[in-house]
Amino acid sequence: DIQMTQSPSSLSASVGDRVTITCRASQSISSYLNWYQQKPGKAPKLLIYAASSLQSGVPSRFSGSGSGTDFTLTISSLQPEDFATYYCQQSYSTPDSTFGPGTKVDIK
Amino acid sequence: EVQLVESGGGLVKPGGSLRLSCAASGFTFSSYSMNWVRQAPGKGLEWVSSISSSSSYIYYADSVKGRFTISRDNAKNSLYLQMNSLRAEDTAVYYCAREWVDYYDSSGYYYFDYWGQGTLVTVSS
């Protein structure tokens, strides 16, 4: 099974900050990596697929990069609506995809 | 507008059964693979099961294999999850999610592009 880890598990940031979240796979997954945002009590929302492709309708302040085992989600200028938990997901072993444990972004 | 609406969650005793439903609208349901993903209280996301558009291919996570059954009725635009022999560790919010795949460079990139609002299943005596 492919294991996913994320760092940090949580972070505090201010509006306007640049935020970077890292996701690491236990083996190479090429670019088969997705990012989701989840707000409390809500369903996850797709942000990035194939490591760096921005989902339609998602603000351009979100970007993804990486390949192989190491990936990054960057929010270039944090907005109030971006405070949420972010999950990475590997789709290399679809349908048996696995999610990372999540990174909670809250207000400093 | 794509909509996925889950129902059927509730409180059930260990060893009991429950059937979840997901009503789809706003897209051609019969053209998409569908999935169930769950989230235990305060925990992360766990993929549970997948079914192809025509039900030809069905997959389960090891944690539910032999106890859960996924199915769909394309005529009714509905997805189902029959859950038997429920355990306390099955307590979670269950989401249905539409699967999409983008093909480029001879590779298929899978992701869940639409999710329902979830239905809570609580397994407790």
Side-chain angles (χ1 to χ4, degrees), chain A residues 17-34:
Chain A
D17 283 354
R18 181 181 183 88
V19 169
T20 299
I21 298 168
T22 297
C23 175
R24 178 165 289 174
S26 59
Q27 67 180 72
S28 177
I29 58 171
S30 184
S31 297
Y32 295 92
L33 192 285
N34 308 316

Side-chain angles (χ1 to χ4, degrees), chain A residues 30-32 34 36 38 42-44 46 49-50 53 55 87 89 91 94-97 99 101, chain B residues 37 39 43-47 50 59 95 99 102 104 107-113 115-117:
Chain A
S30 184
S31 297
Y32 295 92
N34 308 316
Y36 298 86
Q38 187 180 34
K42 301 294 186 182
L46 177 70
Y49 62 94
S53 295
Q55 172 68 346
Y87 294 93
Q89 176 206 21
S91 60
T94 292
D96 191 11
S97 63
F99 294 85
Chain B
V37 177
Q39 185 171 37
K43 303 297 184 181
L45 300 164
E46 180 189 15
W47 171 78
S50 169
Y59 305 95
Y95 296 100
E99 181 180 301
D102 268 354
Y104 48 88
S107 298
Y109 294 88
Y110 291 81
Y111 48 88
F112 302 146
D113 61 350
W115 299 61
Q117 86 289 350

Side-chain angles (χ1 to χ4, degrees), chain A:
Chain A
D1 290 3
I2 300 174
Q3 308 300 319
M4 307 300 293
T5 58
Q6 288 182 233
S7 61
S9 57
S10 66
L11 66 90
S12 296
S14 301
V15 172
D17 283 354
R18 181 181 183 88
V19 169
T20 299
I21 298 168
T22 297
C23 175
R24 178 165 289 174
S26 59
Q27 67 180 72
S28 177
I29 58 171
S30 184
S31 297
Y32 295 92
L33 192 285
N34 308 316
W35 290 99
Y36 298 86
Q37 175 195 67
Q38 187 180 34
K39 297 180 180 179
K42 301 294 186 182
K45 172 189 173 183
L46 177 70
L47 299 176
I48 302 283
Y49 62 94
S52 60
S53 295
L54 192 68
Q55 172 68 346
S56 176
V58 174
S60 59
R61 62 181 180 273
F62 291 93
S63 64
S65 64
S67 67
T69 60
D70 295 319
F71 302 86
T72 298
L73 174 70
T74 300
I75 309 172
S76 60
S77 178
L78 197 67
Q79 297 302 300
E81 61 268 30
D82 301 337
F83 292 96
T85 299
Y86 294 84
Y87 294 93
C88 61
Q89 176 206 21
Q90 65 81 13
S91 60
Y92 180 86
S93 58
T94 292
D96 191 11
S97 63
T98 47
F99 294 85
T103 294
K104 184 177 180 181
V105 177
D106 60 23
I107 302 172
K108 181 183 276 186

Side-chain angles (χ1 to χ4, degrees), chain B residues 36-113:
Chain B
W36 288 99
V37 177
R38 69 184 180 183
Q39 185 171 37
K43 303 297 184 181
L45 300 164
E46 180 189 15
W47 171 78
V48 172
S49 183
S50 169
I51 186 168
S52 63
S53 58
S54 60
S55 304
S56 298
Y57 301 96
I58 287 175
Y59 305 95
Y60 299 98
D62 287 344
S63 57
V64 306
K65 202 172 293 182
R67 300 187 299 122
F68 289 11
T69 302
I70 191 172
S71 63
R72 63 191 296 161
D73 185 335
N74 287 342
K76 294 183 178 180
N77 291 339
S78 293
L79 174 71
Y80 306 103
L81 187 66
Q82 177 67 44
M83 304 186 295
N84 298 332
S85 302
L86 282 161
R87 307 166 180 167
E89 55 265 35
D90 295 318
T91 294
V93 173
Y94 285 74
Y95 296 100
C96 64
R98 191 178 83 168
E99 181 180 301
W100 183 247
V101 55
D102 268 354
Y103 290 100
Y104 48 88
D105 292 339
S106 304
S107 298
Y109 294 88
Y110 291 81
Y111 48 88
F112 302 146
D113 61 350

